[in-house]
Amino acid sequence: MKEKLIVLNKDEDTLSVVDLETSQVEKTVETSYNPHEVVITPDGKKTYVACSLGNKVDVMDNETFEIVL
């Protein structure tokens, strides 16, 4: 599995999935309002994004790069 970097785009309410080998954005995913902090589970299966002004935590599946909760 290729290594990825998750970049939060606060002003756009999105996150970008970047391929570390090519430095190219593979996908941009819409999040709740103002994504601010991010953590990836130890098994690498999920990404949790705290959206500070949306008062919500989004959960992204790291296989599909889709918000699932």
Side-chain angles (χ1 to χ4, degrees):
M1 182 176 186
K2 291 184 178 182
E3 290 190 11
K4 311 287 185 209
L5 174 67
I6 305 297
V7 178
L8 301 178
N9 308 307
K10 290 172 52 175
D11 292 336
E12 298 170 9
D13 301 330
T14 63
L15 65 80
S16 297
V17 180
V18 179
D19 182 314
L20 288 178
E21 280 185 24
T22 64
S23 298
Q24 298 295 311
V25 174
E26 287 193 353
K27 187 168 186 177
T28 300
V29 179
E30 288 187 32
T31 65
S32 295
Y33 189 57
N34 199 273
H36 193 267
E37 305 293 337
V38 65
V39 67
I40 299 172
T41 58
D43 64 6
K45 293 184 178 184
K46 302 273 191 247
T47 296
Y48 290 81
V49 181
C51 299
S52 61
L53 296 178
N55 200 25
K56 186 172 184 214
V57 175
D58 290 343
V59 181
M60 182 176 72
D61 180 304
N62 289 345
E63 287 187 26
T64 62
F65 299 115
E66 299 290 332
I67 300 294
V68 294
L69 185 61

